[in-house]
Amino acid sequence: MNEKWLKIGDSVLYRDDLETSTAIIKISREKQLNALNSSVISCIEQALSEIEKNKKIRSVIVTGAGEKAFVAGADIKEFQHFSENEAYNLSRTGKEKLFNKIANFSKPVVAAINGYALGGGLELALSCHIRIAVKEARLGLPECTLGIIPGYGATQRLPKIIGKGFAMEMILTAKIIDADYAYKIGLINHVVSSDELISKTLSITKLFNNTSPEALSLAINSVNSCFLSDADNIESRNFASLFNTDNFKEGINAFIEKRKSNFD
Ligand code: DAK
């Protein structure tokens, strides 16, 4: 496994795991518990743009540096003096550059939650397609205790993931929950020990290599559309458009020829 990390800006590390065709993005502001500031957001965006173009990379893991935090929130010190207008612009830019970009990414993105995932940190994990957390992880949305609401998508994504009742409770009470409870309510897909976090996550991303990249991209798009009024049509259109792909022909031929498919 190639363990060499590249630095993107001052607070994001990046490496490819060639064996599983997975890119790993590590937020690296350990002293500030990996709090998200504008620079971190831009660096992740930069990494995602490169990953999007790289056909050898089939999936992405987002994690945090150190054992304490995935991301302890948006950087409170950065937005504390913002006006209403600045807050609105920060919200739109952050969503465009990072949160919506991840949610609508054409390759699967998995959050490997290595500790606190609070506020904007939990919102980052919610924008990922799958969440895996260590036993020690603590998750919550403390925004209302700061006089704001979650503004990077949690009021929209959380109810769709865990249901409106649990989402309301988490947002309104601002309570911080542990990984076992998060698993019980469907907020995370798996709970693992901290030394297993990356290997377990890679064992999941490895499975994506048995699938067609175009199928995964349109599966993400279809699932993301599940609450839209024309979701049923979106699914049919996405389904039909895959019949034009070489990978569909390869998948079907491999089945008929009783061999493993070799997707491009
Ligand atoms: N922002 C900035 N710095 C943070 C931070 C954060 N969210 N969380 C921790 N840090 C910094 C601390 O200030 C401290 O820095 P120094 O004082 O050493 O310089 C350092 O990280 C270590 O933290 P602690 O000393 O507090 O560590 P403890 O182990 O004692 O406590 C903790 C760990 C996670 C319980 C505690 O750090 C904590 O409560 N952190 C804040 C958690 C929080 O409230 N997070 C939610 C932030 S609000 C927006 C959209 C969304 C949002 C904002 C805007 N727009 C659309 C515009 C989201 C808002 C949030 O995420």
Side-chain angles (χ1 to χ4, degrees):
M1 195 188 289
N2 173 16
E3 289 276 354
K4 201 163 175 265
W5 292 94
L6 296 173
K7 226 173 166 196
I8 303 181
D10 55 359
S11 45
V12 170
L13 298 174
Y14 174 93
R15 79 174 168 88
D16 291 338
D17 182 67
L18 298 176
E19 201 194 320
T20 57
S21 307
T22 304
I24 307 180
I25 295 174
K26 187 187 277 190
I27 299 159
S28 182
R29 294 185 78 208
E30 210 177 322
K31 281 195 184 137
Q32 294 80 25
L33 304 187
N34 302 323
L36 286 181
N37 60 14
S38 311
S39 162
V40 174
I41 290 178
S42 294
C43 293
I44 302 178
E45 185 200 22
Q46 199 185 317
L48 290 171
S49 300
E50 292 303 316
I51 294 165
E52 185 95 74
K53 289 184 266 174
N54 186 345
K55 278 191 86 177
K56 288 191 183 134
I57 294 299
R58 299 286 317 275
S59 58
V60 188
I61 295 175
V62 179
T63 193
E67 299 215 325
K68 200 163 166 184
F70 170 69
V71 170
D75 192 322
I76 296 171
K77 291 160 197 163
E78 188 179 62
F79 66 76
Q80 62 180 328
H81 299 302
F82 273 12
S83 64
E84 184 175 343
N85 220 6
E86 286 169 316
Y88 182 76
N89 288 336
L90 183 71
S91 172
R92 295 312 316 167
T93 325
K95 283 178 175 176
E96 225 170 86
K97 281 182 159 186
L98 184 61
F99 297 85
N100 293 353
K101 187 164 177 147
I102 288 182
N104 299 318
F105 205 58
S106 60
K107 308 179 187 196
V109 184
V110 184
I113 303 172
N114 53 304
Y116 285 114
L118 302 177
L122 180 53
E123 295 185 291
L124 177 63
L126 291 173
S127 68
C128 296
H129 306 122
I130 295 174
R131 285 156 291 283
I132 300 172
V134 298
K135 288 186 181 64
E136 299 76 17
R138 296 290 178 270
L139 304 93
L141 294 164
E143 281 89 342
C144 289
T145 67
L146 296 168
I148 52 175
I149 62 169
Y152 280 139
T155 66
Q156 306 307 302
R157 291 198 178 99
L158 191 63
K160 291 172 187 152
I161 294 170
I162 62 171
K164 191 173 160 190
F166 282 118
M168 278 287 191
E169 186 178 348
M170 278 190 73
I171 294 168
L172 303 186
T173 64
K175 71 179 177 184
I176 291 175
I177 61 174
D178 65 24
D180 285 333
Y181 184 69
Y183 175 74
K184 266 188 209 144
I185 62 173
L187 177 50
I188 55 179
N189 301 61
H190 302 277
V191 185
V192 295
S193 65
S194 58
D195 47 338
E196 284 182 307
L197 179 64
I198 296 300
S199 59
K200 170 73 182 177
T201 311
L202 286 171
S203 74
I204 290 175
T205 61
K206 197 174 179 181
L207 298 175
F208 301 138
N209 299 338
N210 303 329
T211 64
S212 145
E214 292 96 342
L216 286 198
S217 170
L218 292 184
I220 291 169
N221 178 270
S222 302
V223 175
N224 279 346
S225 308
C226 71
F227 290 99
L228 301 180
S229 56
D230 60 341
D232 207 43
N233 248 324
I234 292 172
E235 185 192 57
S236 296
R237 279 200 304 271
N238 283 341
F239 174 76
S241 72
L242 289 165
F243 281 66
N244 283 326
T245 63
D246 289 341
N247 280 333
F248 166 65
K249 293 181 186 86
E250 168 59 16
I252 297 296
N253 287 338
F255 175 77
I256 290 167
E257 292 160 16
K258 298 189 187 301
R259 61 173 172 82
K260 198 170 178 296
S261 44
N262 185 14
F263 291 119
D264 187 19

